[in-house]
Amino acid sequence: MNIISRGDRTWNGRQIAVQTGGYAGILRSSTQRWPDRIGLRFKDSHWSYAQLDALVDSAAAEYQRRGVGPGDRVVLLMTNRPEYLIAQFAVSRIGAAFTTPNPYWTDAELEPAIAAVAPTAAVVEDPYTALVGESRRLPIPSLHVPTDRATPNEPDVTPTTPMYLPFSSGTTGLPKAVVHSAGSLCGGVAQLVTHLDLSESDRLQLALPLCHIFGAVMCGAGIAAGAEMTLFERFDLTTCLDHVERERVTILPIAGTVAYQLAQLEDLEQRDLSSLRMFMWGGSAVPVSLARDITARTQVDFLCSYGMTEAISVAFNPVENRAEWSLESPGFPTAGTQWRLAGEPGALEGELEIRGASVALGYANAPTDAWLPDGWFRTGDIARIHPDGRLQIIDRLKDMLKVSGFQVSPVEVEQTLIAHPLVRDCGVFGVPDPRSNECPVAVVVPASADLTPDMLSDWVAERLAGYKRPRRFVLTDELPRAASGKLLRRELSARHNS
């Protein structure tokens, strides 16, 4: 197998090493460099780096007093709020691991997820207290900066110390807790700082859910770089754009659902988004026509990347060379990352396997063959590596359809359909067929009431081979997508497989 690597790439002078204290060491380091700089804004309040660090120390000391120590697992079950950030840094400062189920899951979803990680304690908002019990609850950190600073005991943390347990998206079954070590979490943060070229001059707007790995590591990267971050309780497009204009935001990470909302704004051209260095896209494949339309209307380009819960940062387009940015490819290996394609040497396509700085240790209490004995991780994504070293993700291995003996990528069919001027969004799944084994079905969100299934059939007939064409087109108002923007294909199939 051919191995592609940029592991020796220079990290532009701001490389972040795994420090004593692990993830919490990132905040401590930034506090030493920029103590009086505003690190976080939320609603009408703000905190300097020194104030944030003092709040973390106070919370960590309190958690230790209540019996939480190195090696423990602590559930954080809250919506976006400053206390969430303080709690995760406090837990990591005492050598414990924080785990982040989605607070918008139902009780039936939360109960098995929490049980699977066997937590010692939990920091929860009021609606969720019954899920963990009185004896396990820790207080939500106070936002009042202490005048008499408590100092927690900080154990030595090694690169292999478990530190962060986010949950996978669950698109291929029940969500599983992924075990990130201090090394892989800090490594992923370092890669984001490097490949976004983040610095203390940046202003980062964060409306992504902190329970999701995308939101959590973007927050860590902002702190590591000394940037000024504004956290939003929830996403609202008008509020988001107003803030970009007023505060001259430079970095705006967005998920797929946000891009679709942007494209529908009638006054998008009137918005002053000139402070943005980029739209940072990393949660799902970017629909090329959609991104081009938004860029044409805003003059802001999309910087595409590729990562996952199990491997924080795998590929990035080169931030230092805008002329090389591509909407069809997430780019090249991140610093400290290697790729290879499973199969015969020289194969043009295959399952992507990776190893590197931000790859997790495994799943919590869930055996898997995804991690190979030699340190490589099987991504489950079918990929192509182009001669210039660029990566192209073809589809999920489990999502590939087998039609009359041929492999069909639902993503290829989706990208073909979304290029239609009257299509706003679409998803494709397979249904059993007695003659061809499977056949594709397309679920389409129209951008106009004029769109008809016959128009879509004619469109794909000119652009796809016969076996790739959907046998049925369903028009609907919206598609099920995760917070990251990923299409929930299993849910889509369950809704429309009739």
Side-chain angles (χ1 to χ4, degrees):
M1 294 183 234
N2 298 326
I3 296 176
I4 310 295
S5 173
R6 282 198 174 183
D8 58 350
R9 176 173 174 166
T10 300
W11 289 28
N12 73 16
R14 286 198 294 274
Q15 179 177 359
I16 305 165
V18 177
Q19 306 160 52
T20 301
Y23 185 58
I26 290 174
L27 175 58
R28 179 63 51 78
S29 176
S30 292
T31 298
Q32 292 169 351
R33 295 184 65 185
W34 305 286
D36 299 324
R37 179 173 175 77
I38 293 176
L40 180 66
R41 293 184 182 273
F42 182 75
K43 296 183 178 179
D44 296 327
S45 301
H46 64 267
W47 297 266
S48 69
Y49 276 95
Q51 289 174 323
L52 288 174
D53 199 51
L55 290 168
V56 167
D57 267 351
S58 177
E62 177 64 19
Y63 295 165
Q64 283 183 325
R65 190 183 71 79
R66 292 175 180 250
V68 180
D72 287 338
R73 294 174 176 178
V74 179
V75 172
L76 305 184
L77 196 53
M78 294 178 277
T79 53
N80 276 18
R81 53 195 294 178
E83 296 93 333
Y84 199 126
L85 302 181
I86 294 164
Q88 70 180 33
F89 279 109
V91 169
S92 63
R93 182 155 288 176
I94 58 181
F98 58 98
T99 181
T100 56
N102 190 327
Y104 297 107
W105 286 345
T106 65
D107 288 359
E109 293 169 306
L110 283 168
E111 287 175 359
I114 292 173
V117 298
T120 304
V123 184
V124 298
E125 288 186 65
D126 288 342
Y128 313 106
T129 53
L131 289 171
V132 295
E134 180 67 33
S135 62
R136 279 188 171 183
R137 292 206 296 273
L138 298 174
I140 293 176
S142 169
L143 295 178
H144 176 70
V145 180
T147 54
D148 184 15
R149 183 168 181 168
T151 304
N153 297 319
E154 298 183 33
D156 290 337
V157 172
T158 71
T160 58
T161 300
M163 190 141 286
Y164 174 38
L165 279 69
F167 284 83
S168 65
S169 63
T171 55
T172 56
L174 293 175
K176 298 184 288 291
V178 176
V179 182
H180 273 285
S181 65
S184 62
L185 177 54
C186 293
V189 166
Q191 289 170 330
L192 288 175
V193 172
T194 298
H195 294 284
L196 288 171
D197 195 25
L198 288 176
S199 74
E200 64 272 19
S201 64
D202 278 308
R203 292 190 170 193
L204 175 64
Q205 180 169 300
L206 199 62
L208 300 166
L210 295 178
C211 64
H212 189 275
I213 193 166
F214 193 10
V217 296
M218 281 303 302
C219 173
I223 287 176
E228 180 181 301
M229 292 190 303
T230 299
L231 178 67
F232 286 83
E233 188 173 16
R234 62 181 61 85
F235 177 78
D236 175 80
L237 184 58
T238 299
T239 303
C240 168
L241 295 182
D242 287 347
H243 183 261
V244 169
E245 292 181 319
R246 183 176 63 252
E247 300 298 331
R248 307 304 292 164
V249 171
T250 61
I251 301 289
L252 179 61
I254 63 174
T257 51
V258 178
Y260 291 110
Q261 292 181 48
L262 276 174
Q264 294 177 65
L265 279 183
E266 294 182 358
D267 66 342
L268 184 58
E269 290 86 347
Q270 281 70 57
R271 288 288 191 167
D272 179 9
L273 306 183
S274 58
S275 62
L276 290 176
R277 296 203 283 121
M278 66 196 75
F279 291 122
M280 190 267 168
W281 183 289
S284 59
V286 55
V288 175
S289 59
L290 184 77
R292 286 176 176 160
D293 174 63
I294 294 172
T295 295
R297 298 172 65 192
T298 63
Q299 309 307 307
V300 181
D301 291 321
F302 282 75
L303 180 68
C304 296
S305 61
Y306 166 64
M308 61 195 73
T309 310
E310 295 85 351
I312 295 168
S313 185
V314 179
F316 250 99
N317 274 270
V319 68
E320 71 279 4
N321 189 353
R322 193 174 296 262
E324 290 189 20
W325 291 12
S326 170
L327 295 173
E328 289 84 4
S329 164
F332 302 94
T334 49
T337 299
Q338 293 180 308
W339 302 336
R340 70 184 187 188
L341 297 180
E344 296 297 322
L348 298 178
E349 292 183 9
E351 183 181 6
L352 182 68
E353 296 179 353
I354 60 174
R355 65 181 178 187
S358 64
V359 177
L361 300 176
Y363 294 121
N365 304 322
T368 180
D369 61 356
W371 277 265
L372 303 177
D374 58 357
W376 290 86
F377 170 68
R378 299 177 55 200
T379 65
D381 287 328
I382 300 298
R384 179 182 298 124
I385 298 176
H386 292 272
D388 64 355
R390 281 187 178 275
L391 182 71
Q392 182 180 357
I393 302 299
I394 307 301
D395 213 328
R396 289 291 297 170
L397 181 62
K398 292 183 179 180
D399 288 340
M400 295 290 283
L401 308 181
K402 199 64 171 286
V403 181
S404 300
F406 295 99
Q407 293 270 53
V408 174
S409 163
V411 170
E412 180 188 5
V413 181
E414 289 162 1
Q415 294 285 11
T416 300
L417 284 166
I418 209 165
H420 192 290
L422 299 185
V423 171
R424 180 161 61 87
D425 196 6
C426 69
V428 172
F429 63 91
V431 296
D433 183 81
R435 292 184 301 171
S436 59
N437 185 57
E438 283 185 292
C439 68
V441 173
V443 182
V444 174
V445 179
S448 166
D450 295 332
L451 185 68
T452 66
D454 286 344
M455 293 166 64
L456 294 172
S457 181
D458 292 341
W459 179 266
V460 297
E462 297 176 1
R463 292 164 175 83
L464 293 174
Y467 66 92
K468 296 181 182 179
R469 299 170 194 165
R471 303 275 183 87
R472 182 162 58 96
F473 295 93
V474 180
L475 303 185
T476 190
D477 292 332
E478 64 177 359
L479 301 183
R481 290 189 178 273
S484 64
K486 290 181 180 177
L487 178 67
L488 302 179
R489 209 177 298 277
R490 289 167 62 94
E491 185 175 337
L492 181 75
S493 175
R495 288 185 188 180
H496 300 283
N497 191 358
S498 59

